[in-house]
């Protein structure tokens, strides 16, 4: 009876958090009513795939330096609902909502508690960066979805005591990794976290065989899925397809290696968690009314979450055990974040939204810390309660500049209060507004304009 009641409460909590996240993201999904930021590339290229040049005002694909899965999902929304803001954003909304639901299931497995699973998923539901990307036709929300799905399937394989080569949950994990990479190459980073975990979860005497199995499912299968994602993309015969595929991959590699020019919104990995340089995806100032969509994080989740990742890493190293929640949180967060310090060393065009696949693990890290603090009775519970309230207040405060709601100049300044921006802004009678230039050096100070 208790087992049935527990399953029922877990399912009810899943439905509640999914409805909350989905409803929150669905309101005024068509605003702004134009393409913003890189929607200009992805939405139009997706439209070209299903509607043709006359409707999409484009004769050739402009974003061919990225794989096709994310754009194909955007195209499916356009096929169903037309080349409208709602049409090109609906599958980003679905991906964002589903990610919150999957994070709930992952946290339920890791913590064994409906309450802490609900807490983790709730933090992601109100995370400003994830919220914004759940409402725009950009690729990173799809990467994040498949990264969380892959992690959940790996944990399910662990919990079912998966051994041998035939492991359905690990197969689904590999497919998810492949879809993450086929949305954007950055999805490959999760392999650095999951591969060691799968090997470490095997009994000590069977880890050599487990390494071969993990490589099969987490390297070979993703490569197959990635290659298959290009089916129908090249108008060549079967004989010419491999050559065309290889040329496209080489073109993409050269593009990313040669990205050395500056951009006013770019930032380095250490600046992402510090929230030093958010991005104005959309900005409009007309007759003293400001409308904006800003890609920004929340210090009341990201910073405790980062502490939680460090605690998880320390706990894993100290215990020398891959069991429990800590190794999963530490390995996956570090795998999706730390490589960027090397990858961005000689590369421009690196932005705060590259941290998006890390955000679900920051929410898990915050839950890990909160759960430990909660055991300290009144002092710990007071800290958890205050930080939770502050996270909710932060989201409510920034909601207008996440959704392009009109604000007065004074109301806008209350939210965009870090304005050490140098020449990246201009002063008007209503206040500072961003200068949108294609190539420019980022500001030297802390700039949210």
């Amino acid at each position: 009876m208790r087992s049935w009641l527990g399953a029922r409460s877990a399912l009810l909590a899943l439905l509640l958090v999914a409805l909350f996240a989905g409803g929150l993201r669905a309101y005024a999904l068509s605003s702004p009513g134009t393409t913003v930021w890189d929607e200009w590339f992805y939405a139009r290229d997706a439209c070209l795939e299903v509607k043709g040049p006359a409707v999409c005002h484009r004769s050739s694909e402009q974003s061919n330096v990225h794989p096709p899965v994310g754009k194909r999902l955007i195209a499916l929304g356009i096929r169903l609902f037309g080349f409208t803001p709602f049409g090109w954003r609906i599958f980003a909304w679905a991906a964002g909502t589903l990610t919150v639901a999957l994070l709930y299931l992952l946290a339920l497995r890791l913590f064994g508690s409906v309450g802490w699973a609900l807490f983790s998923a709730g933090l992601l539901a109100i995370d400003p960066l994830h919220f914004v990307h759940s409402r725009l036709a950009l690729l990173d929300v799809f990467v994040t979805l498949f990264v969380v799905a892959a992690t959940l399937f790996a944990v399910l394989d662990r919990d079912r005591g998966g051994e041998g080569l035939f492991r359905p949950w690990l197969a689904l994990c590999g497919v998810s990794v492949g879809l993450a990479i086929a949305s954007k190459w950055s999805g490959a980073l999760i392999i650095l976290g999951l591969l060691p975990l799968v090997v470490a979860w095997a009994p000590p005497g069977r880890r050599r065989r487990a390494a071969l199995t993990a490589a099969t499912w987490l390297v070979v299968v993703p490569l197959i899925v990635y290659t298959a994602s290009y089916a129908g993309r090249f108008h060549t015969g079967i004989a010419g397809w491999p050559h065309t595929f290889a040329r496209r991959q080489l073109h993409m590699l050269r593009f990313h290696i040669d990205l050395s020019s500056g951009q006013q919104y770019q930032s380095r990995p250490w600046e992402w968690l510090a929230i030093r340089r958010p991005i104005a995806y959309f900005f409009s100032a007309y007759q003293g009314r400001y409308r904006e969509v800003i890609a920004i994080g929340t210090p009341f989740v990201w910073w405790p979450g980062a502490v939680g990742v460090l605690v998880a890493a320390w706990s894993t190293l100290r215990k020398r055990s891959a069991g429990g929640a800590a190794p999963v949180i530490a390995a996956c967060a570090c795998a999706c974040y730390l490589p960027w310090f090397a990858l961005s060393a000689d590369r421009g065009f690196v932005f705060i939204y590259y941290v998006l696949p890390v955000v679900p693990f920051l929410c898990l890290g915050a839950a890990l810390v909160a759960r430990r603090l909660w055991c300290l009775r009144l002092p710990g519970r007071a800290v958890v309660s205050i930080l939770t309230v502050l996270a909710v207040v932060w989201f409510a405060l920034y909601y207008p500049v996440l959704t392009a709601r009109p604000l007065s100049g004074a109301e806008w300044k209350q939210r965009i209060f870090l304005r050490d921006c140098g020449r990246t802004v201009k002063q008007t009678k209503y206040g500072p507004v961003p200068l949108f230039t294609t190539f420019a050096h980022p500001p030297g100070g802390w700039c949210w304009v």
Side-chain angles (χ1 to χ4, degrees), residues 245-325:
F245 173 79
R247 285 184 60 187
R248 173 63 64 85
Q249 306 313 305
L250 184 59
H251 165 69
M252 293 163 64
L253 180 62
R254 286 173 175 167
F255 172 84
H256 292 294
I257 289 175
D258 293 339
L259 274 176
S260 57
S261 300
Q263 214 277 358
Q264 67 178 19
Y265 283 112
Q266 73 183 34
S267 56
R268 296 302 172 191
W270 73 266
E271 297 174 297
W272 300 343
L273 296 185
I275 318 176
R276 188 170 186 261
R277 186 62 173 132
I279 304 173
Y281 282 158
F282 169 83
F283 184 86
S284 171
Y286 180 70
Q287 294 184 345
R289 305 297 287 177
Y290 285 25
R291 297 177 65 224
E292 183 171 12
V293 175
I294 188 171
I296 194 170
T298 171
F300 305 109
V301 176
W302 287 18
W303 298 351
V307 172
V309 171
L310 292 175
V311 169
W314 171 252
S315 176
T316 302
L317 293 173
R318 183 171 58 85
K319 295 179 180 178
R320 296 184 180 181
S321 170

Side-chain angles (χ1 to χ4, degrees), residues 65 88 153 160 211 232 263 290 332 353 443:
V65 295
W88 67 64
F153 293 139
R160 298 296 171 88
Q263 214 277 358
Y290 285 25
C332 293
Y353 58 81

